[in-house]
Coordinates of all heavy atoms in Angstrom, one line a residue:
S1 N -36.3 11.8 1.4 CA -35.3 10.7 1.2 C -33.9 11.3 1.2 O -32.9 10.7 1.7 CB -35.6 9.9 0.0 OG -35.5 10.7 -1.2
A2 N -33.7 12.5 0.6 CA -32.4 13.1 0.5 C -31.9 13.5 1.9 O -30.7 13.5 2.2 CB -32.4 14.3 -0.4
F3 N -32.8 13.8 2.8 CA -32.4 14.2 4.2 C -32.4 13.0 5.1 O -32.1 13.1 6.3 CB -33.5 15.2 4.7 CG -33.2 16.6 4.4 CD1 -33.6 17.1 3.2 CD2 -32.5 17.4 5.3 CE1 -33.4 18.5 2.9 CE2 -32.2 18.7 5.0 CZ -32.6 19.2 3.8
G4 N -32.7 11.8 4.6 CA -32.6 10.6 5.4 C -33.8 10.5 6.3 O -33.8 9.7 7.3
L5 N -34.9 11.2 6.0 CA -36.1 11.2 6.8 C -37.1 10.1 6.4 O -38.0 9.7 7.1 CB -36.8 12.6 6.8 CG -36.0 13.8 7.2 CD1 -36.7 15.1 6.9 CD2 -35.6 13.6 8.7
L6 N -36.9 9.6 5.2 CA -37.8 8.6 4.7 C -37.0 7.6 3.8 O -36.2 8.1 2.9 CB -38.9 9.2 3.8 CG -39.9 8.3 3.1 CD1 -40.7 7.6 4.1 CD2 -40.8 9.1 2.1
D7 N -37.2 6.3 4.0 CA -36.6 5.3 3.1 C -37.6 4.9 2.1 O -38.4 4.0 2.3 CB -36.1 4.1 3.9 CG -35.3 3.1 3.0 OD1 -35.2 3.4 1.8 OD2 -34.9 2.1 3.6
V8 N -37.5 5.5 0.9 CA -38.5 5.2 -0.2 C -38.4 3.8 -0.6 O -39.4 3.1 -0.9 CB -38.3 6.2 -1.3 CG1 -39.2 5.9 -2.5 CG2 -38.5 7.6 -0.9
S9 N -37.1 3.3 -0.6 CA -36.9 1.9 -1.1 C -37.6 0.8 -0.3 O -37.8 -0.3 -0.7 CB -35.4 1.6 -1.3 OG -34.8 1.7 -0.1
A10 N -37.9 1.2 1.0 CA -38.6 0.2 1.9 C -40.1 0.3 1.8 O -40.8 -0.5 2.4 CB -38.1 0.4 3.3
Q11 N -40.6 1.3 1.1 CA -42.1 1.5 1.0 C -42.7 0.5 -0.1 O -42.1 0.2 -1.0 CB -42.4 2.9 0.6 CG -41.8 4.0 1.5 CD -42.2 3.8 3.0 OE1 -43.4 3.7 3.2 NE2 -41.3 3.7 3.9
P12 N -44.0 0.1 0.2 CA -44.6 -0.7 -0.8 C -44.9 0.0 -2.1 O -45.1 1.3 -2.1 CB -45.9 -1.1 -0.1 CG -46.2 -0.1 0.9 CD -44.8 0.3 1.4
V13 N -44.9 -0.6 -3.2 CA -45.1 0.0 -4.5 C -46.6 -0.1 -4.8 O -47.2 -1.2 -4.9 CB -44.3 -0.7 -5.6 CG1 -44.6 0.0 -7.0 CG2 -42.8 -0.5 -5.3
S14 N -47.2 1.0 -5.1 CA -48.7 1.0 -5.3 C -49.0 0.2 -6.6 O -48.4 0.4 -7.6 CB -49.1 2.5 -5.5 OG -50.5 2.5 -5.8
G15 N -49.9 -0.7 -6.4 CA -50.4 -1.5 -7.6 C -49.6 -2.8 -7.8 O -50.0 -3.6 -8.6
A16 N -48.5 -3.0 -7.1 CA -47.7 -4.2 -7.3 C -48.2 -5.3 -6.4 O -48.8 -5.2 -5.4 CB -46.2 -3.9 -6.8
T17 N -48.0 -6.6 -7.0 CA -48.4 -7.8 -6.3 C -47.2 -8.7 -6.2 O -46.2 -8.5 -6.9 CB -49.6 -8.5 -7.0 OG1 -49.1 -8.9 -8.2 CG2 -50.7 -7.5 -7.1
L18 N -47.3 -9.8 -5.5 CA -46.2 -10.8 -5.4 C -45.9 -11.4 -6.7 O -44.8 -11.9 -7.0 CB -46.5 -11.8 -4.3 CG -46.6 -11.3 -2.9 CD1 -46.9 -12.5 -2.0 CD2 -45.3 -10.7 -2.5
A19 N -46.9 -11.4 -7.6 CA -46.7 -12.0 -8.9 C -45.8 -11.2 -9.8 O -45.3 -11.7 -10.8 CB -48.1 -12.1 -9.7
D20 N -45.5 -9.9 -9.4 CA -44.6 -9.1 -10.1 C -43.1 -9.4 -9.8 O -42.2 -8.8 -10.4 CB -44.9 -7.6 -9.8 CG -46.2 -7.2 -10.3 OD1 -46.6 -7.6 -11.5 OD2 -46.9 -6.4 -9.6
L21 N -42.9 -10.3 -8.8 CA -41.5 -10.7 -8.5 C -41.2 -11.9 -9.3 O -41.9 -12.9 -9.4 CB -41.4 -11.0 -7.0 CG -41.7 -9.8 -6.1 CD1 -41.5 -10.2 -4.6 CD2 -40.9 -8.6 -6.4
D22 N -40.0 -11.9 -10.0 CA -39.6 -12.9 -10.9 C -38.8 -14.0 -10.3 O -37.7 -13.8 -9.8 CB -38.8 -12.2 -12.0 CG -38.6 -13.1 -13.2 OD1 -38.7 -14.3 -13.1 OD2 -38.2 -12.6 -14.3
P23 N -39.2 -15.3 -10.3 CA -38.5 -16.4 -9.8 C -37.1 -16.5 -10.4 O -36.1 -16.9 -9.7 CB -39.3 -17.6 -10.1 CG -40.7 -17.1 -10.3 CD -40.5 -15.7 -10.9
L24 N -36.9 -16.2 -11.7 CA -35.6 -16.3 -12.3 C -34.7 -15.2 -11.7 O -33.5 -15.5 -11.6 CB -35.8 -16.0 -13.9 CG -36.6 -17.1 -14.6 CD1 -36.7 -16.7 -16.1 CD2 -35.9 -18.5 -14.5
E25 N -35.2 -14.1 -11.4 CA -34.3 -13.1 -10.8 C -33.9 -13.5 -9.3 O -32.8 -13.1 -8.9 CB -35.0 -11.7 -10.8 CG -35.1 -11.1 -12.1 CD -33.8 -11.0 -12.9 OE1 -32.8 -10.6 -12.3 OE2 -33.8 -11.4 -14.1
R26 N -34.8 -14.2 -8.6 CA -34.4 -14.7 -7.3 C -33.2 -15.7 -7.5 O -32.3 -15.7 -6.7 CB -35.6 -15.5 -6.7 CG -36.4 -14.6 -5.8 CD -37.2 -15.4 -4.8 NE -38.4 -14.6 -4.3 CZ -39.5 -14.6 -4.9 NH1 -39.7 -15.4 -6.0 NH2 -40.5 -13.9 -4.4
E27 N -33.3 -16.6 -8.5 CA -32.2 -17.5 -8.8 C -30.9 -16.7 -9.1 O -29.8 -17.1 -8.7 CB -32.6 -18.5 -9.9 CG -31.6 -19.5 -10.2 CD -31.2 -20.4 -9.0 OE1 -32.1 -20.6 -8.1 OE2 -30.0 -20.8 -8.9

């Protein structure tokens, strides 16, 4: 990621589901 060869922030997070996204934070 430091060399720009991989965008870690675009990768899926292991064990995460859509329920982990907070509707209040979307607002």
Side-chain angles (χ1 to χ4, degrees):
S1 66
F3 273 86
L5 303 174
L6 174 69
D7 183 1
V8 176
S9 63
Q11 304 302 308
V13 177
S14 178
T17 67
L18 294 180
D20 293 319
L21 301 181
D22 190 343
L24 294 178
E25 291 304 317
R26 268 201 203 90
E27 182 57 30

